[in-house]
Amino acid sequence: MWKRRTTALLSDLQVEAIVATYLNRFKAASADPRVELVTIFKNHGDAAGTSLEHPHSQMIATPVITTQLRDRLFSALAHFDEYGECIFCRVLEQELKEEVRIVLETEHFVAFIPFAVLTPFSMLIMPRRHMACFHEMNDAEAADLAHNLRRTLLKLYKGLDDPDFNYVIRTAPTESTGVKYYHWYVSIIPRLTKLAGFELGSGMFINVSLPEENASFLRAADIEKA
């Protein structure tokens, strides 16, 4: 039955319903005065930490903003203060100009493998319009996110034989809605490698693959017959 299928094998309408649920629950949780941050994510496969057999997403609302996100917000603000631009918009503009790391473009979103990606085939799905917070999407953008997400995951499914992966919606907290320096996105991390002593000991990552070659490989993945 389709209920047991991974996201890549669902229809656009089914993934639209998933994204609509994300938005609904995100807004509801964010309205609670005890909540500072809402994190939505999906674990697929044992290597990604899946704890239940059936496909599912998760949402956790916390009373604090994590150090990881605070560092990301601070760095983005520092760039904006120095250059007067959103660093995420700048990166997206550059990726669209160079084209070599683009995996999939739709009307409102672009999936690409960043130049300095930490692990093989990790990708970002970024909205073309500047938005700091996930809930700032309009209906057309939400539908297009579902369209882009399903096809991007299908390229992973077909090209890499259904790898384990995580995806996370990396959004600013709702208190930062409308800020000019941050830009939300979806991060997709295929679990193709493992952290070893160097990564754990240094905080640095060794990626032996080239993002340009990985992006070219995924672009060529045939998803039309799926």
Side-chain angles (χ1 to χ4, degrees), residues 5 11 16 44-45 76 125 143 190 196 198-199 206 222:
R5 292 181 181 177
S11 69
E16 284 179 29
H44 174 73
I125 299 179
F198 178 76
E199 288 82 3
I206 298 174
D222 184 9

Side-chain angles (χ1 to χ4, degrees), residues 91 94-95 98 100-102 112-119 122-124 207 209-212 215:
V91 166
Q94 192 67 30
E95 293 293 352
E98 295 184 7
V100 291
R101 289 175 293 275
I102 300 295
F112 64 94
I113 298 178
F115 173 78
V117 66
L118 300 181
T119 56
S122 290
M123 288 180 282
L124 307 182
N207 184 354
S209 65
L210 293 175
E212 294 81 7

Side-chain angles (χ1 to χ4, degrees), residues 11-141:
S11 69
D12 278 348
L13 286 177
Q14 289 164 343
V15 183
E16 284 179 29
I18 292 172
V19 172
T21 302
Y22 287 169
L23 282 167
N24 179 281
R25 301 319 303 155
F26 181 92
K27 292 174 183 177
S30 298
D32 189 321
R34 298 170 296 178
V35 171
E36 293 292 333
L37 178 65
V38 178
T39 303
I40 297 172
F41 59 97
K42 178 181 176 64
N43 305 329
H44 174 73
D46 292 341
T50 294
S51 56
L52 299 174
E53 181 180 354
H54 65 271
H56 63 286
S57 301
Q58 298 179 62
M59 183 187 80
I60 297 179
T62 57
V64 296
I65 298 173
T66 64
T67 300
Q68 182 191 71
L69 179 56
R70 286 190 184 278
D71 289 345
R72 190 175 288 115
L73 291 168
F74 179 80
S75 297
L77 179 58
H79 181 92
F80 185 85
D81 287 343
E82 183 169 358
Y83 298 102
E85 65 178 7
C86 166
I87 189 172
F88 302 93
C89 290
R90 182 74 177 94
V91 166
L92 180 59
E93 177 186 0
Q94 192 67 30
E95 293 293 352
L96 287 169
K97 179 180 179 181
E98 295 184 7
E99 296 185 336
V100 291
R101 289 175 293 275
I102 300 295
V103 174
L104 180 70
E105 291 188 61
T106 52
E107 183 177 1
H108 298 288
F109 288 85
V110 180
F112 64 94
I113 298 178
F115 173 78
V117 66
L118 300 181
T119 56
F121 291 95
S122 290
M123 288 180 282
L124 307 182
I125 299 179
M126 191 172 290
R128 296 178 187 269
R129 181 169 70 91
H130 177 83
M131 293 177 274
C133 195
F134 177 61
H135 73 86
E136 295 181 64
M137 277 193 300
N138 59 39
D139 291 345
E141 288 166 334

